[in-house]
Amino acid sequence: MLNPLVEENAQADQDDPGLLFTAAYNTFSGPVLGYLRARGVEDAEAVTQDVFLALYPRIPTLQGGLQGAKSLLFSMAHARMVDHYRRRERTPDAAPYEADLDHRSAPSAEDQAVGGLGAIHLLEGLPDDYREVLALRVVADLSVEETASIMDKSQGAIKQLQRRALTALRKQALAQRTPQRNEHA
């Protein structure tokens, strides 16, 4: 049961949504928070604030003054509690990662993408424009238009630069794979 003095003041403030909201907050914020905590809602303080934020725009159409606000507040708090448990059911349980117990090993995604340090070494042997166009077109997967805009060149120039860069990269790769013949033999 509401304090008759609080109810009387809230009825008088029905025309002023701010005063009714203040009376509702002062009267029910503690009980709403207690309800949410008792129901096991994580971060009950934040959910309580959400409930009151949802109340404010509904005050002009609220019927029943402070008693109506109480019914609406606890209805919204209950809905937020139900949402909390539904969300919790859909979220998998988190387990801490323990590196000492993880015996898996696999190459990193970066190593797989560029083929290890050898491929990076090949790129380092190319001129800057060649490295840039290959990085934008192949690694970043940008279009010719996007690459031209970034490098401030025409689309035709980007196509030529990419063709030349790939040709130079192919020559370097073949040169590294081909064993050097010993001319003194």
Side-chain angles (χ1 to χ4, degrees):
M1 194 74 195
L2 293 176
N3 180 336
L5 182 59
V6 171
E7 179 66 33
E8 184 178 309
N9 288 338
Q11 287 293 351
D13 298 333
Q14 183 70 31
D15 295 333
D16 185 354
L19 293 176
L20 181 58
F21 177 80
T22 300
Y25 185 82
N26 289 338
T27 306
F28 301 119
S29 62
V32 168
L33 176 63
Y35 169 77
L36 292 169
R37 280 185 179 159
R39 299 294 297 154
V41 173
E42 295 168 11
D43 202 3
E45 292 85 2
V47 176
T48 300
Q49 295 306 314
D50 288 343
V51 167
F52 279 92
L53 287 173
L55 170 70
Y56 190 77
R58 297 178 75 178
I59 286 183
T61 60
L62 184 67
Q63 298 294 318
L66 203 53
Q67 189 64 38
K70 177 182 180 182
S71 297
L72 182 58
L73 281 167
F74 280 95
S75 172
M76 290 188 295
H78 176 76
R80 296 290 198 293
M81 183 267 307
V82 169
D83 290 346
H84 166 77
Y85 281 106
R86 285 181 179 157
R87 192 172 29 258
R88 185 192 258 179
E89 286 176 5
R90 289 189 304 261
T91 305
D93 291 333
Y97 176 72
E98 297 179 20
D100 295 339
L101 301 177
D102 189 1
H103 301 292
R104 298 175 294 174
S105 65
S108 71
E110 291 83 4
D111 286 345
Q112 289 179 333
V114 296
L117 294 176
I120 292 173
H121 178 69
L122 286 176
L123 289 177
E124 289 173 356
L126 296 176
D128 288 341
D129 278 353
Y130 287 5
R131 282 197 314 256
E132 183 71 12
V133 77
L134 289 178
L136 292 171
R137 292 283 294 133
V138 178
V139 177
D141 196 27
L142 296 179
S143 68
V144 172
E145 296 82 17
E146 293 167 326
T147 303
S149 174
I150 291 170
M151 293 184 72
D152 198 26
K153 297 187 182 293
S154 71
Q155 293 178 24
I158 293 299
K159 290 176 184 178
Q160 278 290 1
L161 195 57
Q162 181 179 348
R163 184 185 58 75
R164 290 178 184 154
L166 289 172
T167 300
L169 187 61
R170 187 177 305 116
K171 286 179 184 176
Q172 282 187 4
L174 288 174
Q176 278 192 350
R177 257 198 254 161
T178 306
Q180 298 296 323
R181 293 188 181 143
N182 189 353
E183 294 181 13
H184 300 289

